[in-house]
Amino acid sequence: MRDSKTKNYYSWVICGVCTLLIFVTMGTASNGLSVFMPYIRESYGLTNAQTSSLVTLRCTFAFLSMMVVGKYYEKTGYRLGTGIAAMLCAVAYYLYSRAGGYMGFCIGASIGGIGYGLGSMIPVAILMNRWFVKHRALAVGICSAGSGMAIIVLPTVLTSLILKYSLQTAFLFVVGYVIVFSILIFLLIRDKPSDLGLEPLGKSDVINEYRGREGDERKRTAEDAMRREAQKAKPLTRSDWALIGIVSVFMGAMANPGFMHLTMLYTTEGFRPMTVALIVSVVGIVLTGAKILFGETADLLGGYRASMLFLAISVLGHALCCMAFTGSVPIAMAAAVVIGLGYSITTVGIPVWAGDLVAQIDYAETVRKMQLIYAAGAMVFASVPGIMADHLGGYIPTYALFGSLTIVTAICLTIVYKRRMPKVI
């Protein structure tokens, strides 16, 4: 058995590689497409509804892929499976570069959706659960920050490539770096610590802390742990799942259509292309740090209190997005900061809530089901912004709707936590 420093080292390597995976599957295949949407619409003469339908297709195929993700990783293992998922995102962008019209983009979006569905937070949450005992929520937050890192880098870089060269050049640039990242993912990911003769980060520390306590304190600690596990071991009821389903659906709606249409919102309201790129990059900068912050806040304050704080921030962010009609760049930048903070919960929340509400043995399956519902929410709402824009003249009503859905999310979460963990309310 290697020393604790080595154990700590490779757990964080796995965390770093999973961050690259999320950079590709969520940050590039999903969020990266938002940078291209205004240019695809203008260059190929698409309507708002057709442009939004690309998001619908991506979300639909992500949803279908998540339905089989358990069987997929049983067959491939996490090392090969994540590498293939990332490589599918390169295939999607290559198809975009060769597209001659609407149908070509539809095919690319469908392939990108498969990569997203197979390589998103489901395998990452399971890998973090295997590799970390301590700092698990923080590790999940760091991984999910990969999509935020993509938002920091991609908007200004890709917009510059589009304006200076062409749309196709920007697509091929994405293909290049995704292939490199896919190879790194395959080379470095391992399914579980025992594959390298290691143990999860913090396991020995937890055992030593427990052994170091006095007899009565040790007994109380063990009894408290058993009581918490017994409470979480009770199956989630149908009404619990109904509420969790609403939460997951709305998280999918905000994390996907909500973020994806920010470029459309500000472009439609007359903001300059590079200003829109800067707005989205600011969202990415804040979102990257906020995902880590949410994970650490959940570790310190508990999942419920952290969730209520970040949901409140999200409501404010949507309200500021609704001020886009003013044409004010300072207000738009404030919206970018606040929405970046609030949207962190959309990806980090599900692993945290599953860890709080169900027993360890049920964790992986609960995360899979919640992510599946999350993908369904993204799919259902994907075309809503474009349809609303065609009928109402813009995207501001969409962000008013998303703000309302965030309030409903907070209410549903409160009810579930009150049932399952009444002491935290």
Side-chain angles (χ1 to χ4, degrees):
M1 189 68 69
R2 304 179 190 183
D3 62 34
S4 61
K5 289 184 179 179
T6 305
K7 296 171 195 173
N8 291 0
Y9 165 76
Y10 213 80
S11 290
W12 290 114
V13 168
I14 295 294
C15 180
V17 178
C18 285
T19 303
L20 280 184
L21 175 65
I22 295 301
F23 186 101
V24 170
T25 58
M26 294 180 68
T28 301
S30 175
N31 298 339
L33 182 59
S34 69
V35 178
F36 293 102
M37 285 170 63
Y39 302 101
I40 293 172
R41 181 186 63 180
E42 297 304 320
S43 298
Y44 292 87
L46 306 186
T47 65
N48 286 313
Q50 284 179 316
T51 308
S52 290
S53 73
L54 300 179
V55 182
T56 303
L57 277 169
R58 185 191 57 71
C59 293
T60 300
F61 278 85
F63 174 76
L64 294 173
S65 300
M66 287 181 183
M67 290 183 70
V68 299
V69 73
K71 295 292 184 184
Y72 172 76
Y73 281 106
E74 283 179 13
K75 296 290 185 181
T76 65
Y78 286 89
R79 183 184 184 189
L80 177 61
T82 53
I84 292 172
M87 194 63 75
L88 286 172
C89 300
V91 174
Y93 272 86
Y94 177 75
L95 292 173
Y96 294 150
S97 75
R98 304 295 296 174
Y102 176 61
M103 287 307 300
F105 285 105
C106 288
I107 296 169
S110 302
I111 299 296
I114 295 171
Y116 176 95
L118 296 178
S120 59
M121 287 302 295
I122 296 175
V124 168
I126 292 169
L127 285 167
M128 294 305 98
N129 197 48
R130 291 181 175 185
W131 279 88
F132 288 83
V133 172
K134 282 190 167 183
H135 307 299
R136 186 179 296 151
L138 174 61
V140 171
I142 292 171
C143 293
S144 65
S147 61
M149 293 175 189
I151 303 165
I152 295 170
V153 176
L154 295 181
T156 51
V157 172
L158 296 179
T159 301
S160 295
L161 287 172
I162 292 167
L163 295 177
K164 188 174 182 180
Y165 298 103
S166 68
L167 196 54
Q168 286 67 32
T169 299
F171 285 139
L172 291 173
F173 170 77
V174 174
V175 172
Y177 79 72
V178 170
I179 289 173
V180 172
F181 285 2
S182 301
I183 293 169
L184 286 173
I185 289 164
F186 173 74
L187 290 176
L188 294 175
I189 278 189
R190 295 295 184 274
D191 284 31
K192 51 188 182 297
S194 59
D195 290 347
L196 295 179
L198 303 175
E199 63 181 23
L201 176 69
K203 180 180 178 181
S204 297
D205 294 338
V206 170
I207 292 172
N208 291 335
E209 286 172 11
Y210 177 73
R211 287 175 177 169
R213 290 169 178 161
E214 297 294 331
D216 289 343
E217 185 184 356
R218 185 186 305 174
K219 183 178 178 182
R220 283 195 302 273
T221 300
E223 288 173 348
D224 288 344
M226 290 172 63
R227 193 178 301 113
R228 285 195 300 272
E229 277 300 301
Q231 185 178 24
K232 292 197 291 184
K234 295 176 184 177
L236 292 166
T237 65
R238 288 184 180 180
S239 59
D240 289 337
W241 268 114
L243 293 165
I244 289 171
I246 291 170
V247 169
S248 300
V249 163
F250 290 170
M251 290 295 98
M254 285 182 281
N256 287 273
F259 173 79
M260 293 286 289
H261 287 84
L262 284 172
T263 54
M264 302 296 283
L265 168 69
Y266 287 106
T267 300
T268 302
E269 295 301 324
F271 286 74
R272 295 176 181 273
M274 289 308 295
T275 302
V276 175
L278 180 59
I279 290 168
V280 177
S281 290
V282 170
V283 174
I285 292 169
V286 177
L287 187 59
T288 301
K291 288 181 178 182
I292 299 170
L293 179 63
F294 179 82
E296 187 68 7
T297 303
D299 280 335
L300 293 172
L301 301 181
Y304 175 75
R305 291 184 179 88
S307 297
M308 292 303 107
L309 173 61
F310 280 79
L311 286 171
I313 293 170
S314 183
V315 171
L316 177 59
H318 286 118
L320 289 170
C321 285
C322 291
M323 300 296 291
F325 71 91
T326 64
S328 169
V329 174
I331 292 177
M333 290 301 174
V337 171
V338 179
I339 207 71
L341 282 169
Y343 272 17
S344 62
I345 195 173
T346 60
T347 47
V348 189
I350 284 177
V352 170
W353 301 327
D356 281 349
L357 299 173
V358 301
Q360 185 74 8
I361 193 171
D362 297 320
Y363 177 83
E365 181 62 13
T366 302
V367 168
R368 188 190 72 82
K369 287 180 179 177
M370 291 176 73
Q371 286 286 350
L372 188 61
I373 300 169
Y374 171 101
M379 178 177 64
V380 168
F381 280 90
S383 293
V384 170
I387 294 170
M388 290 179 69
D390 281 337
H391 285 83
L392 301 176
Y395 289 86
I396 290 174
T398 296
Y399 287 87
L401 172 64
F402 287 148
S404 301
L405 297 184
T406 306
I407 295 171
V408 176
T409 297
I411 294 169
C412 292
L413 265 182
T414 298
I415 295 170
V416 175
Y417 268 90
K418 190 168 182 63
R419 290 176 179 176
R420 305 284 295 183
M421 301 178 68
K423 290 185 177 179
V424 306
I425 304 298

